[in-house]
Amino acid sequence: MVRVVIVDDSAVCRSALRETLEAGGSIRVVGEASDGAEVLKVITREKPHLVTMDLQMPGTSGFEAIEEIMAKHPVPILVVTGQSRKSSAAAFEAIRRGALQLAEKPPPGQSAAGNELRAQVRMLAKVPVVRHVAGSRDKLAQRSPAVAPTHRTPTYVAPATTLPLVGVAASAGGPGAIATLLSQLPPSFQGCVAVVQHLPKGFAASFADFLGSRTRLRVKLVNDSAAREAGTVLVAPDDRHLVVSGKNLLRAVDSPPMGGFRPAANVLFQSMADILGAGGIGIVLSGMGTDGADGLERMRRQGSLTIAQDEATSAVYGMPRAAAERGAACLVLPLGKIAQAVVEGGSPKRLSGPSP
């Protein structure tokens, strides 16, 4: 039985969410809190497997509550919010501060939305989280040593191009990691970044807005097609794959989900390997599951630079672990060192990697 604490200043919303969560019989709401200050007491007393968090509360805000929880009583946090640009943009900031994922508040009487929320709660409740304070992951990222896998694959030689395509993929805990990576790329960066982030339907536009507020690069949501341009970040849209369809063109396509995901990291990475050969860079950041590992492996076989985030700086070490353990990543790096590797990898110089 999954034990959940609900945090929301509205008694009506708490009651509705409790009813939705407990409908399947595998989740029990063991406590409720109406503000951020109260939730710490409830967590200490009830020891839940997961906390659902509303962000708009009087007194201690949801942001402050998340930071306090992760510093004092770490537990997986799911932000439950609406799809307005304002509320969903706030949810991405909450993930940057320590929440794992976001979900849409299910409308009353819609069983499909309720089923999806319950499935997400059951999945996230199993994720191990660690104690940290705001900014601690970034500080740790700067100190952590790089680790190179030992699998026998060719040493990476960066392509002689001034406009590399950098594919970045993430899931749970990923929005903050992607924002950190993009914020560390210089405004003069001559590459183009393609982003695949697993999100509930309806949040892609707000995610692009969030990334745009965290980087000096230009951020665009790809609704149909977009050209590779220097200093541009191209974000996969809702419920569509992002693929490379030509040397300088990316498209949003409606092909079937892969591994249960659309957009999927494997679809982007495989298209990069097939179209660009060694002319791309692939990165897997924080997330659950194994999406991205197959595609990253195909990119590495083509001679591309491939990178996985390390365990110490990952909110969820699932996707990066899968890529690292199968030898798909040339490098396993702390989050704070990935941007430097990207900048160096995009220049025509040899990057140190594992021996062939």
Side-chain angles (χ1 to χ4, degrees), residues 49-329:
H49 298 119
L50 179 137
V51 171
T52 67
M53 179 72 66
D54 178 50
L55 299 176
Q56 305 300 319
M57 295 181 294
T60 303
S61 72
F63 294 143
E64 294 170 309
I66 288 168
E67 292 180 352
E68 285 287 304
I69 292 169
M70 298 312 296
K72 298 178 179 178
H73 303 283
V75 63
I77 299 172
L78 174 64
V79 176
V80 181
T81 184
Q83 281 195 5
S84 71
R85 282 290 183 97
K86 182 178 180 180
S87 61
S88 51
F92 292 116
E93 175 62 20
I95 293 174
R96 189 185 73 83
R97 298 191 186 206
L100 282 185
Q101 189 59 287
L102 64 91
E104 183 183 9
K105 288 184 177 179
Q110 292 198 14
S111 59
N115 288 338
E116 186 174 339
L117 178 61
R118 287 188 293 272
Q120 192 167 16
V121 166
R122 289 191 297 268
M123 178 177 61
L124 293 176
K126 301 175 184 177
V127 175
V129 294
V130 297
R131 187 185 307 271
H132 68 87
V133 296
S136 66
R137 288 192 183 278
D138 289 340
K139 294 174 184 176
L140 181 61
Q142 298 294 341
R143 296 196 302 267
S144 300
V147 180
T150 59
H151 299 75
R152 295 193 303 273
T153 49
T155 299
Y156 168 72
V157 180
T161 175
T162 58
L163 186 61
L165 180 64
V166 182
V168 180
S171 184
I178 295 173
T180 296
L181 170 60
L182 295 181
S183 72
Q184 294 173 350
L185 291 174
S188 59
F189 180 59
Q190 290 300 296
C192 177
V193 182
V195 174
V196 167
Q197 167 69 48
H198 297 164
L199 292 170
K201 295 179 185 179
F203 287 92
S206 296
F207 178 55
D209 289 345
F210 167 70
L211 293 182
S213 72
R214 305 294 302 178
T215 179
R216 290 167 290 181
L217 306 178
R218 298 186 306 279
V219 179
K220 298 180 180 179
L221 185 67
V222 182
N223 290 311
D224 182 21
S225 64
R228 287 172 56 187
E229 298 177 341
T232 300
V233 179
L234 304 177
V235 179
D238 285 315
D239 198 29
R240 302 180 77 192
H241 293 302
L242 184 63
V243 300
V244 178
S245 62
K247 290 290 185 181
N248 294 300
L249 187 68
L250 285 89
R251 289 188 181 277
V253 298
D254 294 320
S255 53
M258 179 176 287
F261 298 107
R262 191 168 66 182
N266 278 326
V267 173
L268 172 63
F269 291 155
Q270 289 173 7
S271 72
M272 291 176 65
D274 294 345
I275 301 296
L276 303 179
I281 298 174
I283 302 171
V284 173
L285 301 178
S286 174
M288 297 185 67
T290 63
D291 186 31
D294 288 344
L296 207 68
E297 186 175 30
R298 186 182 295 190
M299 288 185 67
R300 185 171 188 180
R301 287 174 178 170
Q302 292 289 343
S304 293
L305 171 61
T306 55
I307 302 171
Q309 185 178 356
D310 73 351
E311 183 173 7
T313 62
S314 294
V316 182
Y317 195 54
M319 287 169 57
R321 181 195 296 275
E325 289 184 346
R326 73 190 304 167

